[in-house]
Amino acid sequence: MNTMNINEIKQYKHEPFTDFTIAENKDAFESALELVQSELGKDYPLVIGGELITTEDQIQSINPANKAEIIGRVSKADQDLAEKAMQAALSTFNTWKKEAPEARADILFRAADIIRRRKHEFSAYLVKEAGKPWKEADADTAEAIDFLEYYARQMVQLKDGAPVESREGEENKFNYIPLGVGVIISPFNFPLAIMAGTAAAAIVAGNTVLLKPANNTPVIAAKFVEVMKEAGLPDGVLNYVPGSGSEIGDYLVDHPKTRFVSFTGSREVGCRIYERAAKVQPGQIWLKRVIAEMGGKDTVVVDKDADLEKAASLISQKSFNNAGQVCISVQRIYVHTNIYTAFVNKLKEKTEKLVVGNPMDEQTDIGPMIRLKEAERVEEWVKEAVEEGAKIELGGKRDGAFYLPTILTNVNDDMKVCRQEVFGPVVAIAQYDEIDEVISKVNDSDYGLQAGLFTNDLQFAMKAAREIEVGGLIVNDASAYRVDHMPYGGVKKSGNGKEGPKYAIEEMTEERIIVLNL
């Protein structure tokens, strides 16, 4: 077991991103792509209580950049197998919750080491299964390593609880105890980082898990489950149960023995989970906890005194990375009237330099959307906006599952592209004149995940910090997430609960006070 003191725990730095301009790194990544290519089409069983179960009904994972290429075939759980997994998780929880936090953390440390050694291999799977370009795949894998490391380190720090005051003659203790069986429903857009992070937080806190990955990206989740087994995780702690949301997803959310649900995905599905989990089922003792990250409609305000070069560069990057399929992608931009034309031209200039293409190519900046139907949906939304008077300044074209980065102007706040989460590479730009006006426009949304503000006016920044209704306001950047110290989550219909090492562990544990009258 790793034996680190608190200072060593705090000294961990982020897993570095790979520099692909170095020939050795480029060669290594190309070798990893060849390795993954040789493994395409494999079958992946369910994992329930350590038992590998193959079913006739399967989920086919398809390369979004090449729909003829099958990444793998994954067995599909039904309700009977979901119940089997629940019973395995319940039984294992009785022993896993008693494991020392240091021992649970050590498994995460070993898993991080394994993925670090196989970093390019995991990233290559992300290129193939999620359509991520090299740099984005590398960043996804690096973040997964960080999650494992930071959750492990935070658990070591939280294991003794938190200090509380005691009266004379008594000793009070405050600590964290695991909840029980959790259902992890992970997304396709960060199919390694978010999936690994939410599962790791639950596991290191002493819970057992039923992992239902996104049906578009189940193979990378299967690879993660293999790593956790190799790292020494006991059978039954992490149970791998891909399947239909309407069949096993609902079944597990409704289950009277489910203690918590961690969900990342759409607002519609998240609200449905929230509603179902709130209903107390026959035989249910505990009220369920829901940690839900349900997307955003992230807005950036560009003030008249902003650094246009910096603003356009960062907004271009953070609007269109991962083909806009990021919950903190910039989707609405309000620009002060005095600099509106100059900003639009600068953003077009930056965006035109982005390379859209096959993610297998190192030079690609933007790959495909996850599925053809999603690209077709975005195409329809843009077409509808144009029919309502919007102007396409750049992009607006589709080639299969690839949709070009698109900049819309002459929009109004009632258009679908301005009110709903596009989850594609589209931004809508409008003008504003007054600070109160633009703050009101930013807040006029069902979503409240993040917002950005580019300004050199401290008073504007402070007023925005007080009044903009989001989980995170980023000044002089478009969006941000820091794995090591930033609580991540939204308000309104963007979600409930927080992610991030300390915060997620607290969400997935029960806080308990012990009063000792001596």
Side-chain angles (χ1 to χ4, degrees), residues 188 216 325 369-380 398 400-401 403 422-424:
F188 72 80
N216 289 318
Q325 299 168 126
M369 297 192 65
I370 192 65
R371 286 291 178 266
L372 173 62
K373 67 178 183 180
E374 289 301 311
E376 291 174 337
R377 175 187 59 78
V378 171
E379 183 179 40
E380 285 299 312
R398 180 181 64 82
Y403 196 84
V422 178
F423 221 61

Side-chain angles (χ1 to χ4, degrees), residues 153-173:
R153 291 162 190 270
Q154 284 290 325
M155 192 67 242
V156 174
Q157 291 183 276
L158 293 173
K159 65 183 178 64
D160 296 323
V164 290
E165 296 293 326
S166 297
R167 296 188 303 181
E168 184 178 354
E170 71 180 22
E171 182 180 350
N172 296 335
K173 294 182 178 294

Side-chain angles (χ1 to χ4, degrees), residues 314 375 412 462:
L314 287 170
N412 67 67
M462 297 307 295

